[in-house]
Amino acid sequence: ARWWYVYAWMNGGTLDYAISLTGPDATGRVKSADASRVYLGCFKTTAAGAPIPGRKANGRWVYRRSALASNETRVLNATTSVGPADLDLSALVPPHARVATLSLTCVGGDGGFSLSIACDGDTSDVGLTQRAEIGLTTATLTGDIECSAAQVVDYTTVRGATTGGATAFVHGFYE
């Protein structure tokens, strides 16, 4: 599993394309150390080398979860109170991306359950929160959150009694 980067360049007067393991420079416009190659986007592959299905439009990548195994984009499956703690998104958010789109769901169990997501190191300003009351399961909440340069966010979970839980999936990211 790895990130592949797509570039375009002029090859003897003809537009050509290439994929590379080298990411874009800090501007996100050209290949690092090769300004002749214009950055178009990136995609992640599975361990078998197959691209993970999705679509990019206007700088936003969205995973096509219907074409994936049920938990392939899951980054959290929590059943206890924790936090704040680091939630690593780097397996599904590329090294140059700083905004991730997450999908959150909670199951209230016998005492309610909540999940809060904040920027890494800034838990005083929660960006996304999902809560389920006793015995209920929430509809999926999808929202954007800023992540660190290491593609990490902070999460906090609170379980009100002995059962309940929360899941978080990477829905996509912005480049």
Side-chain angles (χ1 to χ4, degrees):
R2 57 177 48 160
W3 287 102
W4 290 93
Y5 303 92
V6 182
Y7 298 96
W9 82 98
M10 293 304 292
N11 184 6
T14 303
L15 184 62
D16 210 343
Y17 301 91
I19 62 172
S20 171
L21 292 173
T22 302
D25 69 359
T27 69
R29 295 181 186 156
V30 296
K31 185 176 183 180
S32 185
D34 186 353
S36 69
R37 305 210 176 209
V38 177
Y39 177 67
L40 299 176
C42 65
F43 61 93
K44 179 82 176 210
T45 58
T46 65
I52 296 176
R55 176 142 342 250
K56 180 181 177 182
N58 297 322
R60 181 175 185 212
W61 174 268
V62 176
Y63 289 106
R64 188 170 356 120
R65 286 184 49 196
S66 64
L68 299 169
S70 61
N71 293 320
E72 203 160 347
T73 63
R74 186 174 69 188
V75 290
L76 179 68
N77 188 26
T79 57
T80 61
S81 296
V82 174
D86 284 348
L87 180 58
D88 184 357
L89 310 178
S90 64
L92 295 160
V93 177
H96 62 282
R98 295 295 177 270
V99 176
T101 304
L102 301 180
S103 299
L104 313 177
T105 304
C106 288
V107 176
D110 63 357
F113 202 95
S114 68
L115 168 62
S116 299
I117 307 288
C119 297
D120 187 35
D122 188 12
T123 55
S124 65
D125 188 21
V126 171
L128 298 171
T129 299
Q130 182 65 297
R131 292 183 180 91
E133 299 300 323
I134 297 171
L136 298 177
T137 299
T138 63
T140 300
L141 168 79
T142 302
D144 298 331
I145 190 77
E146 179 185 356
C147 52
S148 70
Q151 290 67 50
V152 170
V153 296
D154 284 335
Y155 78 98
T156 301
T157 56
V158 177
R159 185 177 72 184
T162 59
T163 63
T167 56
F169 291 82
V170 172
H171 185 71
F173 55 87
Y174 289 87
E175 291 193 86

